[in-house]
Coordinates of all heavy atoms in Angstrom, one line a residue:
M170 N -2.1 22.5 5.6 CA -1.8 22.1 4.3 C -2.8 21.1 3.8 O -3.1 20.1 4.5 CB -0.4 21.5 4.3 CG 0.2 21.2 2.9 SD 2.0 21.1 3.1 CE 2.2 19.7 2.1
T171 N -3.3 21.3 2.6 CA -4.3 20.4 2.0 C -3.6 19.5 1.0 O -2.6 19.8 0.3 CB -5.4 21.1 1.3 OG1 -4.9 21.9 0.3 CG2 -6.1 22.0 2.3
A172 N -4.2 18.3 0.9 CA -3.7 17.3 -0.1 C -4.1 17.8 -1.5 O -5.2 18.4 -1.7 CB -4.2 15.9 0.2
P173 N -3.3 17.5 -2.5 CA -3.7 17.9 -3.9 C -4.9 17.1 -4.3 O -5.1 16.0 -3.9 CB -2.5 17.6 -4.7 CG -1.7 16.6 -3.9 CD -2.0 16.9 -2.5
S174 N -5.7 17.8 -5.1 CA -6.9 17.1 -5.5 C -6.5 16.0 -6.5 O -5.6 16.2 -7.3 CB -7.9 18.0 -6.2 OG -7.3 18.7 -7.3
P175 N -7.2 14.9 -6.5 CA -6.9 13.8 -7.4 C -7.1 14.2 -8.9 O -8.0 14.9 -9.2 CB -7.8 12.6 -7.0 CG -8.9 13.3 -6.2 CD -8.4 14.5 -5.7
E176 N -6.3 13.6 -9.7 CA -6.5 13.9 -11.2 C -7.8 13.2 -11.6 O -8.1 12.1 -11.2 CB -5.3 13.2 -11.9 CG -5.3 13.6 -13.4 CD -4.0 13.1 -14.0 OE1 -3.0 13.8 -13.9 OE2 -4.0 12.0 -14.7
P177 N -8.5 13.9 -12.5 CA -9.7 13.3 -13.0 C -9.5 11.9 -13.7 O -8.4 11.7 -14.2 CB -10.3 14.3 -14.0 CG -9.3 15.3 -14.2 CD -8.2 15.1 -13.2
R178 N -10.5 11.1 -13.6 CA -10.3 9.8 -14.3 C -10.4 10.0 -15.8 O -11.1 10.9 -16.3 CB -11.5 8.9 -13.9 CG -11.4 8.5 -12.4 CD -12.5 7.7 -12.0 NE -12.6 6.5 -12.9 CZ -12.9 5.3 -12.5 NH1 -13.2 5.1 -11.3 NH2 -13.0 4.3 -13.4
P179 N -9.6 9.3 -16.6 CA -9.7 9.4 -18.1 C -11.0 9.2 -18.6 O -11.7 8.3 -18.2 CB -8.6 8.5 -18.6 CG -8.4 7.5 -17.5 CD -8.8 8.1 -16.2
R180 N -11.4 10.0 -19.6 CA -12.7 9.8 -20.3 C -12.5 10.2 -21.7 O -12.0 11.3 -22.0 CB -13.7 10.7 -19.6 CG -15.1 10.1 -19.4 CD -16.0 11.0 -18.6 NE -16.0 12.3 -19.2 CZ -16.1 13.4 -18.5 NH1 -16.3 13.4 -17.2 NH2 -16.2 14.6 -19.1
I181 N -12.9 9.3 -22.6 CA -12.8 9.6 -24.0 C -14.1 9.2 -24.7 O -14.8 8.4 -24.3 CB -11.6 8.7 -24.7 CG1 -11.8 7.2 -24.4 CG2 -10.3 9.2 -24.2 CD1 -10.8 6.3 -25.0
Q182 N -14.3 10.0 -25.8 CA -15.5 9.8 -26.6 C -15.1 9.3 -28.0 O -14.3 9.8 -28.6 CB -16.3 11.1 -26.8 CG -17.6 10.9 -27.5 CD -18.4 12.2 -27.6 OE1 -17.8 13.3 -27.7 NE2 -19.7 12.1 -27.6
I183 N -15.7 8.2 -28.4 CA -15.4 7.5 -29.6 C -15.9 8.4 -30.8 O -17.0 8.8 -30.8 CB -16.0 6.1 -29.7 CG1 -15.6 5.3 -28.5 CG2 -15.6 5.4 -31.0 CD1 -14.2 5.1 -28.2
V184 N -15.0 8.6 -31.8 CA -15.3 9.3 -33.0 C -15.5 8.2 -34.1 O -16.5 8.1 -34.8 CB -14.3 10.3 -33.5 CG1 -14.6 10.8 -34.8 CG2 -14.2 11.4 -32.4
E185 N -14.5 7.3 -34.1 CA -14.7 6.1 -35.0 C -13.7 5.0 -34.6 O -12.7 5.3 -34.0 CB -14.4 6.5 -36.5 CG -13.0 6.8 -36.8 CD -12.8 7.2 -38.3 OE1 -13.7 6.9 -39.1 OE2 -11.8 7.7 -38.6
Q186 N -14.1 3.8 -34.9 CA -13.2 2.7 -34.7 C -12.3 2.5 -35.9 O -12.9 2.5 -37.0 CB -14.0 1.4 -34.4 CG -13.2 0.2 -34.0 CD -14.0 -1.0 -33.5 OE1 -15.0 -0.8 -32.9 NE2 -13.6 -2.2 -33.8
D187 N -11.0 2.5 -35.8 CA -10.1 2.5 -36.9 C -9.8 1.1 -37.3 O -10.3 0.6 -38.3 CB -8.9 3.3 -36.5 CG -7.9 3.6 -37.7 OD1 -8.3 3.4 -38.9 OD2 -6.8 4.1 -37.5
T188 N -8.9 0.5 -36.6 CA -8.5 -0.9 -36.9 C -8.5 -1.8 -35.7 O -8.6 -1.3 -34.6 CB -7.1 -0.9 -37.5 OG1 -6.2 -0.4 -36.5 CG2 -7.0 -0.1 -38.8
S189 N -8.4 -3.1 -35.9 CA -8.3 -4.0 -34.7 C -7.6 -5.2 -35.2 O -7.5 -5.6 -36.3 CB -9.7 -4.3 -34.1 OG -10.5 -5.0 -35.1
G190 N -7.0 -5.9 -34.2 CA -6.4 -7.2 -34.4 C -6.7 -8.0 -33.1 O -7.4 -7.5 -32.2
P191 N -6.2 -9.2 -33.0 CA -6.5 -10.1 -31.9 C -6.3 -9.5 -30.5 O -7.1 -9.7 -29.6 CB -5.6 -11.3 -32.1 CG -5.2 -11.3 -33.5 CD -5.2 -9.9 -34.0
D192 N -5.2 -8.7 -30.4 CA -4.9 -8.1 -29.1 C -4.8 -6.6 -29.1 O -4.2 -6.0 -28.2 CB -3.6 -8.7 -28.6 CG -3.8 -10.2 -28.3 OD1 -4.9 -10.6 -27.9 OD2 -2.8 -10.9 -28.5
H193 N -5.4 -5.9 -30.1 CA -5.4 -4.4 -30.0 C -6.6 -3.9 -30.8 O -7.3 -4.6 -31.6 CB -4.1 -3.9 -30.6 CG -4.1 -3.9 -32.1 ND1 -3.8 -5.0 -32.9 CD2 -4.4 -3.0 -33.0 CE1 -3.9 -4.8 -34.1 NE2 -4.3 -3.5 -34.3
I194 N -6.9 -2.6 -30.5 CA -8.0 -1.9 -31.2 C -7.5 -0.4 -31.3 O -6.9 0.1 -30.3 CB -9.3 -2.0 -30.5 CG1 -10.4 -1.4 -31.3 CG2 -9.3 -1.4 -29.1 CD1 -11.8 -1.7 -30.8
A195 N -7.6 0.2 -32.4 CA -7.2 1.6 -32.6 C -8.5 2.4 -32.8 O -9.4 2.0 -33.6 CB -6.3 1.7 -33.8
L196 N -8.6 3.5 -32.1 CA -9.8 4.3 -32.1 C -9.4 5.8 -32.3 O -8.4 6.2 -31.8 CB -10.5 4.2 -30.8 CG -10.8 2.9 -30.2 CD1 -11.1 2.9 -28.7 CD2 -12.0 2.3 -31.0
V197 N -10.2 6.5 -33.1 CA -10.1 7.9 -33.1 C -11.1 8.5 -32.1 O -12.3 8.1 -32.1 CB -10.5 8.5 -34.5 CG1 -10.4 10.0 -34.5 CG2 -9.5 7.9 -35.6
V198 N -10.6 9.3 -31.2 CA -11.4 9.7 -30.0 C -11.2 11.2 -29.8 O -10.3 11.9 -30.3 CB -11.0 9.0 -28.7 CG1 -11.0 7.5 -28.9 CG2 -9.6 9.4 -28.3
R199 N -12.2 11.8 -29.0 CA -12.1 13.1 -28.5 C -11.9 13.0 -27.0 O -12.6 12.2 -26.3 CB -13.4 13.9 -28.8 CG -13.3 15.3 -28.3 CD -14.6 16.1 -28.9 NE -15.8 15.6 -28.3 CZ -16.4 16.2 -27.3 NH1 -15.9 17.2 -26.7 NH2 -17.5 15.7 -26.8
C200 N -11.0 13.7 -26.5 CA -10.6 13.6 -25.0 C -11.6 14.5 -24.2 O -11.8 15.7 -24.5 CB -9.2 14.1 -24.8 SG -8.6 14.0 -23.1
L201 N -12.2 13.9 -23.2 CA -13.1 14.6 -22.3 C -12.5 14.9 -20.9 O -13.0 15.7 -20.2 CB -14.4 13.8 -22.1 CG -15.1 13.4 -23.4 CD1 -16.3 12.5 -23.1 CD2 -15.6 14.7 -24.1
A202 N -11.4 14.1 -20.6 CA -10.6 14.4 -19.3 C -9.2 13.8 -19.6 O -9.0 13.0 -20.4 CB -11.3 13.6 -18.2
I203 N -8.2 14.4 -18.9 CA -6.8 14.0 -19.1 C -6.7 12.5 -19.2 O -7.2 11.8 -18.3 CB -5.9 14.6 -18.1 CG1 -5.9 16.2 -18.2 CG2 -4.5 14.1 -18.2 CD1 -5.1 16.9 -17.1
T204 N -6.0 12.0 -20.2 CA -5.9 10.6 -20.4 C -4.4 10.4 -20.7 O -3.8 11.0 -21.6 CB -6.7 10.1 -21.6 OG1 -8.1 10.4 -21.3 CG2 -6.6 8.6 -21.8
R205 N -3.8 9.5 -19.9 CA -2.3 9.2 -20.0 C -2.0 7.8 -20.6 O -2.9 6.9 -20.4 CB -1.7 9.3 -18.7 CG -1.9 10.7 -18.1 CD -1.1 10.8 -16.7 NE -1.3 12.1 -16.1 CZ -0.8 13.2 -16.5 NH1 0.0 13.2 -17.6 NH2 -1.0 14.4 -15.9
L206 N -0.8 7.7 -21.2 CA -0.4 6.3 -21.6 C -0.4 5.4 -20.3 O -0.1 5.8 -19.2 CB 1.1 6.4 -22.1 CG 1.3 6.8 -23.5 CD1 2.8 6.8 -23.8 CD2 0.6 5.9 -24.5
G207 N -0.8 4.2 -20.5 CA -0.9 3.3 -19.4 C -2.3 3.3 -18.8 O -2.6 2.4 -17.9
A208 N -3.2 4.2 -19.2 CA -4.6 4.2 -18.6 C -5.2 2.9 -18.9 O -5.0 2.2 -19.9 CB -5.4 5.3 -19.2
R209 N -6.1 2.4 -18.0 CA -6.8 1.1 -18.1 C -8.2 1.4 -18.3 O -8.8 2.2 -17.6 CB -6.5 0.3 -16.9 CG -5.1 0.2 -16.4 CD -4.3 -0.9 -17.0 NE -4.8 -2.2 -17.0 CZ -4.1 -3.3 -16.6 NH1 -2.9 -3.1 -16.2 NH2 -4.6 -4.4 -16.7
F210 N -8.8 0.6 -19.2 CA -10.3 0.7 -19.5 C -10.9 -0.7 -19.4 O -10.3 -1.6 -20.0 CB -10.5 1.3 -20.9 CG -10.0 2.7 -21.0 CD1 -8.7 3.0 -21.5 CD2 -10.9 3.8 -20.8 CE1 -8.3 4.3 -21.6 CE2 -10.4 5.1 -20.9 CZ -9.1 5.3 -21.3
N211 N -11.9 -0.8 -18.6 CA -12.7 -2.1 -18.6 C -13.9 -2.0 -19.4 O -14.7 -1.1 -19.2 CB -13.0 -2.5 -17.2 CG -11.8 -2.9 -16.4 OD1 -11.0 -3.7 -16.9 ND2 -11.6 -2.4 -15.2
C212 N -14.1 -2.8 -20.4 CA -15.2 -2.7 -21.4 C -15.8 -4.1 -21.4 O -15.2 -5.1 -21.1 CB -14.7 -2.3 -22.7 SG -13.8 -0.8 -22.8
T213 N -17.1 -4.2 -21.9 CA -17.8 -5.4 -22.1 C -18.0 -5.6 -23.6 O -18.6 -4.7 -24.2 CB -19.1 -5.4 -21.3 OG1 -18.8 -5.2 -19.9 CG2 -19.8 -6.8 -21.4
D214 N -17.6 -6.8 -24.1 CA -17.9 -7.0 -25.5 C -19.3 -7.6 -25.7 O -20.0 -7.8 -24.8 CB -16.8 -7.9 -26.1 CG -16.8 -9.4 -25.6 OD1 -17.8 -9.8 -24.9 OD2 -15.9 -10.1 -25.9
Q215 N -19.6 -7.9 -27.0 CA -21.0 -8.3 -27.3 C -21.3 -9.7 -26.8 O -22.4 -10.1 -26.7 CB -21.2 -8.3 -28.8 CG -21.2 -6.9 -29.4 CD -21.4 -6.8 -30.8 OE1 -21.0 -7.6 -31.6 NE2 -22.2 -5.8 -31.3
Q216 N -20.3 -10.5 -26.4 CA -20.5 -11.8 -25.8 C -20.6 -11.7 -24.3 O -20.7 -12.7 -23.6 CB -19.3 -12.8 -26.1 CG -19.3 -13.2 -27.6 CD -18.7 -12.1 -28.5 OE1 -17.9 -11.4 -28.2 NE2 -19.3 -12.1 -29.7
G217 N -20.5 -10.5 -23.7 CA -20.6 -10.3 -22.3 C -19.3 -10.4 -21.5 O -19.3 -10.4 -20.3
R218 N -18.2 -10.6 -22.2 CA -16.9 -10.7 -21.5 C -16.4 -9.4 -21.2 O -16.5 -8.4 -21.9 CB -15.9 -11.4 -22.5 CG -16.2 -12.9 -22.8 CD -15.2 -13.4 -23.7 NE -15.3 -12.7 -25.0 CZ -14.9 -13.2 -26.2 NH1 -14.3 -14.4 -26.2 NH2 -15.1 -12.5 -27.3
T219 N -15.8 -9.3 -20.0 CA -15.1 -8.1 -19.6 C -13.7 -8.1 -20.1 O -13.0 -9.0 -20.0 CB -15.1 -8.0 -18.0 OG1 -16.4 -8.0 -17.5 CG2 -14.3 -6.7 -17.6
L220 N -13.4 -7.0 -20.8 CA -12.1 -6.8 -21.4 C -11.3 -5.8 -20.7 O -11.8 -4.7 -20.4 CB -12.2 -6.4 -22.9 CG -13.1 -7.3 -23.8 CD1 -13.1 -6.7 -25.2 CD2 -12.6 -8.7 -23.8
D221 N -10.1 -6.1 -20.3 CA -9.2 -5.2 -19.6 C -8.2 -4.7 -20.7 O -7.3 -5.4 -21.1 CB -8.4 -5.9 -18.5 CG -7.5 -5.0 -17.7 OD1 -7.7 -3.8 -17.7 OD2 -6.5 -5.5 -17.1
L222 N -8.4 -3.4 -21.0 CA -7.6 -2.8 -22.1 C -6.6 -1.7 -21.5 O -7.0 -1.0 -20.6 CB -8.5 -2.2 -23.2 CG -9.5 -3.1 -23.8 CD1 -10.4 -2.4 -24.8 CD2 -8.8 -4.3 -24.5
T223 N -5.4 -1.7 -22.1 CA -4.4 -0.7 -21.6 C -4.1 0.2 -22.8 O -3.8 -0.2 -23.9 CB -3.1 -1.4 -21.2 OG1 -3.5 -2.3 -20.1 CG2 -2.1 -0.4 -20.7
L224 N -4.0 1.5 -22.5 CA -3.7 2.5 -23.6 C -2.2 2.4 -23.8 O -1.4 2.7 -22.9 CB -4.1 3.9 -23.1 CG -3.7 5.1 -24.0 CD1 -4.3 4.9 -25.4 CD2 -4.2 6.4 -23.4
T225 N -1.8 2.1 -25.0 CA -0.3 1.9 -25.3 C 0.2 2.9 -26.3 O 1.4 3.0 -26.4 CB -0.1 0.5 -25.9 OG1 -0.9 0.2 -27.0 CG2 -0.3 -0.6 -24.8
E226 N -0.7 3.7 -27.0 CA -0.2 4.7 -27.9 C -1.2 5.8 -28.1 O -2.4 5.5 -28.2 CB 0.2 4.1 -29.2 CG 0.8 5.1 -30.2 CD 1.2 4.5 -31.5 OE1 0.3 4.1 -32.3 OE2 2.4 4.4 -31.7
I227 N -0.7 7.0 -28.0 CA -1.5 8.2 -28.3 C -0.9 8.9 -29.5 O 0.2 9.4 -29.4 CB -1.6 9.2 -27.1 CG1 -2.2 8.5 -25.9 CG2 -2.5 10.4 -27.5 CD1 -2.1 9.3 -24.6
E228 N -1.6 8.9 -30.6 CA -1.0 9.6 -31.8 C -1.8 10.8 -32.1 O -2.9 10.8 -32.6 CB -1.1 8.6 -33.0 CG -0.4 9.1 -34.2 CD -0.4 8.0 -35.3 OE1 -1.3 7.2 -35.4 OE2 0.6 8.1 -36.2
R229 N -1.2 12.0 -31.8 CA -2.0 13.3 -32.0 C -2.0 13.7 -33.5 O -3.0 14.2 -33.9 CB -1.3 14.4 -31.2 CG -1.6 14.4 -29.7 CD -3.0 14.9 -29.4 NE -3.3 16.2 -29.9 CZ -3.0 17.3 -29.4 NH1 -2.4 17.4 -28.3 NH2 -3.4 18.4 -30.0
Y230 N -0.9 13.4 -34.2 CA -0.8 13.7 -35.6 C -0.2 12.5 -36.2 O 0.5 11.7 -35.5 CB 0.0 15.0 -35.8 CG -0.4 16.2 -35.1 CD1 0.2 16.6 -33.9 CD2 -1.5 16.9 -35.5 CE1 -0.2 17.6 -33.2 CE2 -2.0 18.0 -34.8 CZ -1.3 18.3 -33.6 OH -1.8 19.4 -32.9
P231 N -0.3 12.3 -37.5 CA 0.4 11.1 -38.2 C 1.8 11.0 -37.7 O 2.6 12.0 -37.9 CB 0.2 11.4 -39.7 CG -1.0 12.2 -39.8 CD -1.0 13.1 -38.5
Q232 N 2.2 9.9 -37.1 CA 3.5 9.6 -36.7 C 4.1 10.5 -35.6 O 5.3 10.7 -35.4 CB 4.5 9.5 -37.9 CG 4.0 8.4 -38.8 CD 5.0 8.2 -40.0 OE1 6.1 8.8 -40.0 NE2 4.6 7.4 -40.9
V233 N 3.2 11.2 -34.8 CA 3.6 12.0 -33.7 C 2.9 11.5 -32.5 O 1.7 11.7 -32.3 CB 3.3 13.5 -33.9 CG1 3.6 14.3 -32.7 CG2 3.9 14.1 -35.2
T234 N 3.6 10.8 -31.6 CA 3.0 10.2 -30.4 C 3.3 11.1 -29.2 O 4.3 11.8 -29.2 CB 3.5 8.8 -30.2 OG1 4.9 8.8 -30.0 CG2 3.1 7.9 -31.3
V235 N 2.4 11.1 -28.3 CA 2.6 11.9 -27.0 C 2.2 11.1 -25.8 O 1.6 10.0 -25.9 CB 1.6 13.2 -27.1 CG1 2.0 14.1 -28.2 CG2 0.2 12.8 -27.3
P236 N 2.7 11.5 -24.6 CA 2.4 10.7 -23.4 C 1.1 10.9 -22.8 O 0.7 10.1 -21.9 CB 3.6 11.1 -22.5 CG 3.9 12.5 -22.9 CD 3.6 12.5 -24.4
Y237 N 0.4 11.9 -23.2 CA -1.0 12.2 -22.6 C -1.7 13.1 -23.6 O -1.2 13.7 -24.5 CB -0.9 12.8 -21.2 CG -0.5 14.3 -21.2 CD1 -1.4 15.3 -21.3 CD2 0.9 14.6 -21.2 CE1 -1.0 16.6 -21.3 CE2 1.3 15.9 -21.3 CZ 0.3 16.9 -21.3 OH 0.7 18.2 -21.4
M238 N -3.1 13.1 -23.4 CA -3.9 14.1 -24.1 C -4.8 14.7 -23.1 O -5.2 14.2 -22.1 CB -4.6 13.4 -25.3 CG -5.6 12.3 -24.9 SD -6.3 11.5 -26.3 CE -7.3 12.7 -27.0
D239 N -5.2 16.0 -23.5 CA -6.2 16.7 -22.6 C -7.3 17.3 -23.5 O -7.2 17.4 -24.7 CB -5.4 17.8 -21.8 CG -4.6 18.7 -22.6 OD1 -4.5 18.5 -23.9 OD2 -4.1 19.7 -22.1
P240 N -8.4 17.6 -22.8 CA -9.6 18.1 -23.6 C -9.2 19.5 -24.2 O -8.4 20.2 -23.6 CB -10.6 18.4 -22.5 CG -10.2 17.5 -21.3 CD -8.7 17.5 -21.4
P241 N -9.7 19.8 -25.3 CA -10.7 19.1 -26.1 C -10.1 18.4 -27.3 O -10.7 18.2 -28.3 CB -11.6 20.3 -26.6 CG -10.6 21.3 -26.9 CD -9.6 21.2 -25.8
H242 N -8.8 18.0 -27.2 CA -8.1 17.5 -28.3 C -8.6 16.1 -28.7 O -9.2 15.4 -28.0 CB -6.6 17.4 -28.0 CG -6.1 18.8 -27.7 ND1 -5.8 19.2 -26.5 CD2 -5.8 19.8 -28.6 CE1 -5.3 20.5 -26.5 NE2 -5.3 20.9 -27.8
A243 N -8.3 15.8 -30.0 CA -8.6 14.5 -30.5 C -7.3 13.7 -30.8 O -6.2 14.4 -31.0 CB -9.4 14.6 -31.8
A244 N -7.3 12.4 -30.9 CA -6.2 11.6 -31.2 C -6.6 10.2 -31.7 O -7.7 9.8 -31.5 CB -5.2 11.5 -30.0
R245 N -5.6 9.5 -32.2 CA -5.8 8.1 -32.5 C -5.2 7.3 -31.4 O -4.0 7.5 -31.1 CB -5.2 7.7 -33.8 CG -5.3 6.3 -34.2 CD -4.6 6.0 -35.6 NE -4.8 4.7 -36.0 CZ -3.9 3.7 -35.7 NH1 -2.9 3.9 -34.9 NH2 -4.1 2.5 -36.2
L246 N -5.9 6.5 -30.7 CA -5.4 5.7 -29.6 C -5.3 4.2 -29.9 O -6.2 3.7 -30.6 CB -6.3 5.8 -28.3 CG -6.7 7.2 -27.8 CD1 -7.5 7.1 -26.6 CD2 -5.5 8.1 -27.6
T247 N -4.3 3.6 -29.4 CA -4.2 2.1 -29.5 C -4.4 1.5 -28.1 O -3.6 1.9 -27.2 CB -2.9 1.7 -30.1 OG1 -2.7 2.3 -31.4 CG2 -2.8 0.2 -30.2
L248 N -5.4 0.7 -28.0 CA -5.6 0.0 -26.7 C -5.3 -1.5 -26.9 O -5.6 -2.1 -28.0 CB -7.1 0.1 -26.3 CG -7.6 1.5 -26.1 CD1 -9.1 1.5 -25.9 CD2 -6.9 2.2 -24.9
T249 N -4.6 -2.1 -26.0 CA -4.2 -3.5 -26.1 C -4.8 -4.3 -25.0 O -5.0 -3.8 -23.9 CB -2.7 -3.7 -26.1 OG1 -2.1 -3.2 -24.9 CG2 -2.0 -3.0 -27.3
G250 N -5.1 -5.6 -25.3 CA -5.6 -6.5 -24.3 C -6.2 -7.7 -25.0 O -6.6 -7.6 -26.2
T251 N -6.3 -8.8 -24.3 CA -6.8 -10.1 -24.9 C -8.2 -9.8 -25.4 O -9.0 -9.2 -24.8 CB -6.8 -11.2 -23.9 OG1 -5.5 -11.3 -23.4 CG2 -7.3 -12.5 -24.4
N252 N -8.5 -10.3 -26.6 CA -9.8 -10.2 -27.3 C -10.3 -8.8 -27.6 O -11.4 -8.5 -27.8 CB -10.9 -10.9 -26.5 CG -10.7 -12.4 -26.4 OD1 -10.3 -13.0 -27.4 ND2 -10.9 -13.0 -25.2
A253 N -9.3 -7.9 -27.7 CA -9.7 -6.5 -28.0 C -10.5 -6.3 -29.3 O -11.4 -5.5 -29.4 CB -8.4 -5.6 -28.1
H254 N -10.2 -7.2 -30.2 CA -10.9 -7.1 -31.5 C -12.4 -7.5 -31.4 O -13.2 -7.1 -32.3 CB -10.2 -8.1 -32.5 CG -10.4 -9.5 -32.2 ND1 -9.8 -10.1 -31.1 CD2 -11.2 -10.5 -32.7 CE1 -10.1 -11.4 -31.0 NE2 -11.0 -11.6 -32.0
T255 N -12.8 -8.0 -30.3 CA -14.3 -8.4 -30.1 C -15.1 -7.2 -29.7 O -16.3 -7.3 -29.6 CB -14.5 -9.5 -29.2 OG1 -14.0 -9.1 -27.9 CG2 -13.7 -10.8 -29.6
L256 N -14.4 -6.1 -29.4 CA -15.1 -4.9 -28.9 C -15.6 -4.1 -30.1 O -14.9 -3.8 -31.0 CB -14.2 -4.0 -28.1 CG -14.8 -2.9 -27.2 CD1 -15.8 -3.5 -26.2 CD2 -13.7 -2.2 -26.5
H257 N -16.9 -3.8 -30.1 CA -17.5 -3.0 -31.2 C -18.1 -1.7 -30.6 O -19.1 -1.8 -29.9 CB -18.6 -3.8 -31.9 CG -18.0 -5.0 -32.6 ND1 -17.3 -5.0 -33.8 CD2 -18.0 -6.3 -32.2 CE1 -17.0 -6.2 -34.1 NE2 -17.4 -7.0 -33.2
L258 N -17.4 -0.6 -30.9 CA -17.8 0.7 -30.4 C -18.4 1.5 -31.5 O -18.1 1.3 -32.7 CB -16.6 1.4 -29.8 CG -15.9 0.6 -28.6 CD1 -14.5 1.2 -28.3 CD2 -16.8 0.7 -27.4
Q259 N -19.2 2.4 -31.1 CA -19.9 3.3 -32.0 C -19.6 4.7 -31.7 O -19.2 5.1 -30.6 CB -21.4 3.1 -32.0 CG -21.9 1.7 -32.3 CD -23.4 1.6 -32.2 OE1 -24.1 2.5 -31.8 NE2 -23.9 0.4 -32.5
A260 N -19.7 5.6 -32.7 CA -19.4 7.0 -32.5 C -20.4 7.5 -31.4 O -21.5 7.2 -31.4 CB -19.7 7.8 -33.8
G261 N -19.8 8.3 -30.5 CA -20.5 8.8 -29.4 C -20.4 8.0 -28.1 O -20.7 8.6 -27.0
D262 N -20.0 6.7 -28.2 CA -19.7 6.0 -27.0 C -18.7 6.6 -26.1 O -17.7 7.2 -26.7 CB -19.3 4.5 -27.3 CG -20.4 3.7 -27.9 OD1 -21.6 4.1 -27.8 OD2 -20.0 2.6 -28.4
I263 N -18.8 6.6 -24.8 CA -17.8 7.2 -23.9 C -17.2 6.1 -23.1 O -17.9 5.2 -22.5 CB -18.5 8.2 -23.0 CG1 -19.0 9.4 -23.9 CG2 -17.5 8.7 -22.0 CD1 -19.7 10.5 -23.2
L264 N -15.9 6.0 -23.0 CA -15.2 5.1 -22.2 C -14.6 5.8 -21.0 O -14.0 6.9 -21.1 CB -14.0 4.4 -22.9 CG -14.4 3.6 -24.2 CD1 -13.1 3.0 -24.8 CD2 -15.4 2.6 -23.9
H265 N -14.7 5.2 -19.8 CA -14.2 5.7 -18.5 C -13.1 4.8 -18.1 O -13.2 3.6 -18.2 CB -15.2 5.8 -17.4 CG -16.4 6.6 -17.8 ND1 -16.5 7.9 -17.4 CD2 -17.5 6.4 -18.6 CE1 -17.7 8.4 -17.8 NE2 -18.3 7.5 -18.6
G266 N -12.0 5.3 -17.6 CA -10.9 4.5 -17.2 C -10.2 5.0 -15.9 O -10.7 5.8 -15.2
T267 N -9.0 4.5 -15.7 CA -8.1 4.8 -14.6 C -6.7 5.1 -15.1 O -6.1 4.3 -15.8 CB -8.1 3.7 -13.6 OG1 -9.4 3.3 -13.2 CG2 -7.3 4.1 -12.4
N268 N -6.2 6.3 -14.8 CA -4.9 6.7 -15.2 C -3.9 6.0 -14.3 O -4.2 5.7 -13.2 CB -4.6 8.2 -15.1 CG -5.1 8.9 -16.3 OD1 -4.9 8.5 -17.5 ND2 -5.8 10.1 -16.1
P269 N -2.6 5.7 -14.9 CA -1.6 5.1 -14.0 C -1.2 6.1 -12.9 O -1.3 7.3 -13.1 CB -0.5 4.8 -15.0 CG -0.7 5.8 -16.1 CD -2.2 6.0 -16.2
T270 N -0.7 5.6 -11.9 CA -0.2 6.5 -10.8 C 1.1 7.2 -11.3 O 2.0 6.5 -11.8 CB 0.1 5.6 -9.5 OG1 -1.1 4.9 -9.2 CG2 0.6 6.5 -8.4
P271 N 1.2 8.5 -11.1 CA 2.4 9.2 -11.6 C 3.6 8.8 -10.8 O 3.6 8.4 -9.8 CB 2.0 10.7 -11.4 CG 0.7 10.8 -10.7 CD 0.2 9.4 -10.6

């Protein structure tokens, strides 16, 4: 009996940065690998600080949230974490993360 293969790490491509506040950032993205609520992304802001961001919302359609997204779908994601507003992403940037354990 073989162990199931591990789920791919979440990967998203930025389409545009939507809104941000002190502790959140909303992004329109294209999914490159299965991405689930609770996924964690470590990013570096322009000041060189490492930001630990958590995926807290996936909105596939206006006011329709889902627990995960899979390729090649697009969605509006909300990531939360201290100083999230200092992150400046550009179209085409790719973020790699870690999905929560099922």
Side-chain angles (χ1 to χ4, degrees):
M170 187 159 135
T171 61
S174 59
E176 186 172 282
R178 293 177 55 140
R180 222 175 49 216
I181 54 175
Q182 182 178 35
I183 306 304
V184 173
E185 69 178 349
Q186 187 169 325
D187 190 9
T188 61
S189 65
D192 294 327
H193 79 277
I194 186 169
L196 307 165
V197 177
V198 305
R199 183 170 66 97
C200 184
L201 303 175
I203 293 174
T204 302
R205 301 185 183 285
L206 279 179
R209 312 274 307 226
F210 296 90
N211 289 313
C212 306
T213 304
D214 69 9
Q215 292 182 323
Q216 289 79 31
R218 294 178 293 202
T219 298
L220 306 179
D221 181 25
L222 303 176
T223 302
L224 176 58
T225 56
E226 184 177 70
I227 302 171
E228 188 176 29
R229 283 284 308 273
Y230 307 102
Q232 300 184 8
V233 177
T234 58
V235 295
Y237 73 93
M238 62 185 293
D239 55 353
H242 299 104
R245 180 180 181 272
L246 306 184
T247 301
L248 301 171
T249 59
T251 303
N252 294 319
H254 68 287
T255 64
L256 192 59
H257 296 283
L258 299 168
Q259 297 179 0
D262 287 350
I263 296 176
L264 300 183
H265 301 263
T267 304
N268 276 317
T270 305

